[in-house]
Amino acid sequence: MFSFQDRSKILHLLNSYSFDVLVIGGGITGAGIALDAASRGLSVALVDMQDFAGGTSSRSTKLIHGGLRYLKQLEFRLVAEVGKEREIVYENSIHVTTPEKMLLPIYKDGSLGMISTSIGLKLYDFLARVRKSERRKMLSKRETLALVPFLKEEGLLGAGYYVEYKTDDSRLTLEVLKKAVEYKAICLNYARVTDFIYHQNRIAAAKVRDEISGEMITIHATQIINATGPWVDELLKKDVPNQKKEKTLRLTKGIHIVLDQSVLPLEQAIYFDAKDGRMVFAIPREQKIYVGTTDTFYEDDPIHPVAEKEDIEYLLDALKSVFPTLSIGFKDIESTWVGIRPLIYEEKKNPSDISRKDEVWTSPSGLMTIAGGKLTGYRLMSERIVDKIVKKHRFRHAKKCMTKKLPLSGSEGLRSSRFEDFLNKKAMEGAKYGLNFGDAKMLAKMYGTNIDRVFELLGKEKAAETLPKSLYAQLLYSIYQEMAYTPADFFIRRTNLMYFNLALVEQTKDAVIDIMSERIGYSESEKLFYTMQLNQLIHDAKGDGNETGALD
């Protein structure tokens, strides 16, 4: 059950049964916990007040990476853990995770030297158990400029060259959730926890409002988990017996900007120093380059952060410092996005220096909270928290963790060594459904083994005259197989088109809204609201909402 058609049935099930585990929060952390618990045989419910991955898990730097910079902070255990997890996440989600060669230029006056970088990358290879074919190389100045001819030459000594993994964070989250649903987890978006119910001062249930219908339900569970990311503190305030604050959460903001590859003609990713010593990524994706990220404390409402003028200027200045011959300005920015990171506050530390380690604590009421952590480490975080739950409640029916070798939805039976053959085979099959080779291959890469279901939906449906066939295929699958309810769900979390093809969003938004309205059955007021919401999100993504006026 993972379709808008199932909402009433899901609400009934959530309201009728008592679960072993209720996860509040449908980002990557909550999704990972739901999958781990459900695959062990526990009964699991998950709710989110927004869409799945509606917060940080659709607004990250979209990398599964080992945290090379944590070597500087001497966090060797963290580097080892998340480095090993890179490989696990990659092999379990082949279709949404791709190896990406990363260039790390080294300058005479930079924070890294050739020897220290070589040692650091070698240590990284060892700690993360990097596969032999992906281990680091050290490049000379000439070799470095051969890869990126427009790189700043002055003071350039050479570069480190290593591999990270590029992902689609929101689609990764969805594939985790879909796998959890295969193991009978009951998951619902747009379902807000309004209050808790207690028995002898112990948390026993959550009151939940369906944000679409307004219906109120009560979900009983043996263990309730707060995995709400930037909203951890907000949910903790609802926990009445929790008299003292166990941890102090600090939010930090990271923005990204998107440029066309014709403006910044990178063929592979680069990781370089900004003037203040922070490291910045520039990563190719679909004929675009996205650049990020900033790291500043954030005090406003995390529900709808936008890129401000000074954030954008910071990234443009960083680009100018390393690519001085390129003329890149506000006019070249096609879109932006902003992510809010929930970190455990450490006194007198700058945002970039606060540890990304996850922490779990339990309130006097029994509410369990998880905060901090990295996208890369979601599986291991989930394993640890479910281990705690199983031990605490002595769930004898719980099996051992199996997620280390559990392919996510869409990756069943796929192997990295044969993935290209799979894509080409499915691309040829796409011709039966009126798709050209390139579009069919794109869809196969996006959905993995679920492409057969996409083809099946296309085969049953009459083509939409108002949409390209490949986009129509994505829309149908999102509605009927991925619980998309609003146009923003589709354009942001299901496809990422809002960030990487904003022009297509503007061209097709009216048609998409009409089709979703017809299929889902919006009321007139819903259709108007979702139209206004989408227009506002387009406005913000273009940067029209900040002070620069630069992207008009």
Side-chain angles (χ1 to χ4, degrees):
M1 290 190 297
F2 208 63
S3 166
F4 86 92
Q5 296 171 308
D6 301 317
R7 287 193 72 88
S8 59
K9 186 177 180 181
I10 289 171
L11 284 163
H12 175 73
L13 288 171
L14 292 174
N15 200 39
S16 303
Y17 295 92
S18 181
F19 296 84
D20 292 328
V21 177
L22 166 61
V23 182
I24 305 171
I28 190 63
T29 302
I33 294 167
L35 174 57
D36 190 291
S39 63
R40 294 196 202 195
L42 301 182
S43 57
V44 177
L46 179 147
V47 295
D48 194 296
M49 66 177 184
Q50 304 181 86
D51 185 26
F52 304 119
T56 309
S57 296
S58 58
R59 305 173 188 172
S60 74
T61 304
K62 307 182 189 300
L63 285 176
I64 301 295
H65 66 111
L68 183 63
R69 70 187 181 88
Y70 304 132
L71 283 177
K72 282 186 181 181
Q73 300 166 355
L74 305 180
E75 295 196 61
F76 298 118
R77 184 179 175 185
L78 181 61
V79 172
E81 284 182 352
V82 296
K84 291 168 190 171
E85 283 298 304
R86 288 185 332 151
E87 184 76 11
I88 295 169
V89 174
Y90 172 49
E91 288 296 343
N92 288 342
S93 56
I94 294 291
H95 65 300
V96 288
T97 311
T98 309
E100 180 74 31
K101 288 185 177 178
M102 193 76 63
L103 187 72
L104 181 61
I106 300 162
Y107 288 91
K108 195 176 291 183
D109 57 351
S111 62
L112 301 170
M114 288 292 283
I115 295 174
S116 61
T117 300
S118 179
I119 293 170
L121 287 173
K122 195 166 188 177
L123 180 60
Y124 179 71
D125 285 346
F126 171 74
L127 291 172
R129 295 181 186 172
V130 174
R131 59 174 75 183
K132 191 172 182 180
S133 63
E134 295 180 358
R135 289 177 190 166
R136 69 95 174 93
K137 297 177 183 176
M138 296 305 295
L139 305 181
S140 67
K141 178 178 179 178
R142 180 186 294 179
E143 290 170 321
T144 303
L145 290 172
L147 288 171
V148 186
F150 48 88
L151 196 63
K152 183 178 79 170
E153 285 192 52
E154 185 183 350
L156 180 65
L157 301 174
Y161 202 41
Y162 67 108
V163 172
E164 295 287 20
Y165 293 89
K166 185 167 57 178
T167 193
D168 184 325
D169 49 4
S170 55
R171 290 219 52 81
L172 177 66
T173 303
L174 285 163
E175 302 298 22
V176 174
L177 284 166
K178 282 153 64 181
K179 196 67 179 181
V181 169
E182 287 180 34
Y183 283 97
K184 310 304 181 188
I186 308 296
C187 304
L188 187 65
N189 53 356
Y190 298 108
R192 181 187 296 269
V193 171
T194 61
D195 207 353
F196 291 121
I197 296 172
Y198 299 87
H199 178 68
Q200 296 179 347
N201 280 339
R202 301 291 291 178
I203 198 162
K207 292 183 179 179
V208 177
R209 181 177 67 240
D210 177 15
E211 296 288 76
I212 290 169
S213 68
E215 180 181 349
M216 292 295 301
I217 62 171
T218 301
I219 307 176
H220 289 82
T222 304
Q223 180 63 62
I224 298 179
I225 302 169
N226 176 7
T228 55
W231 294 274
V232 157
D233 280 350
E234 185 179 313
L235 193 67
L236 284 172
K237 289 173 186 174
K238 300 181 189 296
D239 183 19
V240 178
N242 184 24
Q243 298 299 321
K244 64 174 184 174
K245 200 168 186 180
E246 299 287 334
K247 305 283 182 181
T248 300
L249 197 72
R250 286 304 301 266
L251 304 182
T252 69
K253 178 174 74 168
I255 85 145
H256 299 78
I257 59 175
V258 178
L259 308 162
D260 193 80
Q261 208 161 16
S262 62
V263 174
L264 180 52
L266 284 174
E267 296 298 328
Q268 38 103 117
I270 185 168
Y271 189 30
F272 58 94
D273 271 330
K275 288 179 181 177
D276 62 359
R278 268 191 54 74
M279 300 295 287
V280 174
F281 289 101
I283 303 167
R285 175 173 165 165
E286 300 165 13
Q287 289 77 55
K288 308 293 179 186
I289 307 291
Y290 68 95
V291 181
T293 179
T294 57
D295 208 356
T296 54
F297 286 125
Y298 185 75
E299 306 291 344
D300 297 329
D301 187 349
I303 198 78
H304 191 53
V306 295
E308 303 291 346
K309 178 181 179 180
E310 55 269 28
D311 301 322
I312 297 172
E313 284 180 337
Y314 174 88
L315 292 179
L316 289 176
D317 286 344
L319 288 173
K320 287 173 188 172
S321 70
V322 76
F323 305 125
T325 61
L326 300 182
S327 178
I328 302 172
F330 282 106
K331 68 183 186 307
D332 300 306
I333 300 171
E334 295 191 357
S335 64
T336 66
W337 76 83
V338 183
I340 303 299
R341 309 177 192 90
L343 304 177
I344 306 299
Y345 180 62
E346 297 173 60
E347 196 173 348
K348 296 181 180 177
K349 282 198 173 184
N350 293 323
S352 299
D353 296 326
I354 297 176
S355 173
R356 267 52 176 172
K357 287 185 290 188
D358 58 287
E359 292 198 38
V360 178
W361 68 96
T362 303
S363 303
S365 66
L367 178 67
M368 191 175 282
T369 297
I370 182 165
K374 287 167 55 62
L375 175 66
T376 309
Y378 87 87
R379 191 209 64 84
L380 188 58
M381 286 192 291
S382 303
E383 179 182 347
R384 286 175 177 162
I385 200 168
V386 177
D387 281 346
K388 287 177 183 285
I389 292 166
V390 170
K391 184 177 180 181
K392 176 183 175 182
H393 297 288
R394 299 179 182 178
F395 286 137
R396 294 187 178 180
H397 57 292
K399 304 169 192 171
K400 290 184 178 179
C401 176
M402 58 188 289
T403 56
K404 189 176 281 189
K405 294 186 178 180
L406 182 64
L408 300 184
S409 178
S411 274
E412 295 91 345
L414 296 180
R415 291 289 178 271
S416 52
S417 58
R418 300 194 298 273
F419 187 45
E420 190 65 23
D421 292 338
F422 165 82
L423 293 180
N424 289 328
K425 179 185 175 186
K426 292 300 176 183
M428 287 187 284
E429 285 182 26
K432 300 176 191 175
Y433 304 94
L435 293 164
N436 65 44
F437 186 90
D439 285 345
K441 188 171 183 177
M442 177 273 293
L443 292 172
K445 175 73 174 72
M446 187 173 189
Y447 297 115
T449 55
N450 289 323
I451 186 62
D452 292 334
R453 182 63 182 134
V454 178
F455 287 162
E456 186 183 330
L457 283 168
L458 265 186
K460 289 179 178 178
E461 296 284 344
K462 184 180 178 182
E465 296 178 6
T466 52
L467 287 180
K469 196 151 196 174
S470 60
L471 190 65
Y472 186 52
Q474 294 172 72
L475 183 57
L476 291 175
Y477 187 79
S478 297
I479 292 171
Y480 293 110
Q481 297 292 315
E482 293 189 331
M483 222 161 189
Y485 195 87
T486 77
D489 297 345
F490 174 66
F491 281 124
I492 299 176
R493 270 85 57 183
R494 303 304 182 280
T495 64
N496 268 248
L497 288 170
M498 181 73 77
Y499 304 143
F500 296 104
N501 198 341
L502 192 51
L504 182 62
V505 175
E506 293 190 285
Q507 290 165 18
T508 60
K509 64 185 177 74
D510 292 337
V512 165
I513 291 168
D514 286 343
I515 291 169
M516 293 189 79
S517 180
E518 180 186 343
R519 299 275 175 162
I520 295 171
Y522 296 158
S523 65
E524 283 302 314
S525 60
E526 275 185 309
K527 186 175 181 181
L528 178 61
F529 175 79
Y530 294 141
T531 300
M532 292 172 63
Q533 180 189 60
L534 184 64
N535 287 336
Q536 182 63 51
L537 290 167
I538 291 170
H539 183 267
D540 293 340
K542 290 169 71 175
D544 293 338
N546 64 58
E547 299 170 15
T548 65
L551 312 184
D552 289 338

